[in-house]
């Protein structure tokens, strides 16, 4: 931590450990995919109820 948070601080940490930022991105992507699956199931359930 260089003391200043924000885009510059994030870039510095990403430059030091690019694999770590990759892990965070993959985690977020998988979370969004799971959320989309759940939303799709809800939509299908609602459509079946009609």
């Amino acid at each position: 931590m260089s003391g200043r948070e924000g885009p510059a601080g994030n870039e510095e940490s990403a430059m030091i450990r690019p694999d770590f930022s990759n892990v965070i991105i993959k985690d977020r992507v998988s979370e969004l995919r799971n959320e989309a699956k759940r939303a799709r199931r809800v939509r299908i359930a609602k459509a079946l109820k009609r």
Side-chain angles (χ1 to χ4, degrees):
M1 302 262 184
S2 59
R4 54 163 205 254
E5 289 300 313
N10 292 343
E11 279 178 15
E12 282 173 13
S13 62
M15 283 166 65
I16 295 160
R17 295 180 64 182
D19 56 335
F20 185 66
S21 61
N22 247 355
V23 166
I24 292 172
I25 290 166
K26 283 178 186 170
D27 190 46
R28 193 169 291 159
V29 167
S30 64
E31 189 63 37
L32 286 171
R33 281 200 184 124
N34 289 338
E35 203 174 304
K37 281 181 194 170
R38 268 183 254 124
R40 197 173 300 135
R41 283 197 202 115
V42 168
R43 263 186 262 125
I44 290 168
K46 283 183 179 175
L48 290 173
K49 280 182 184 175
R50 284 183 207 140

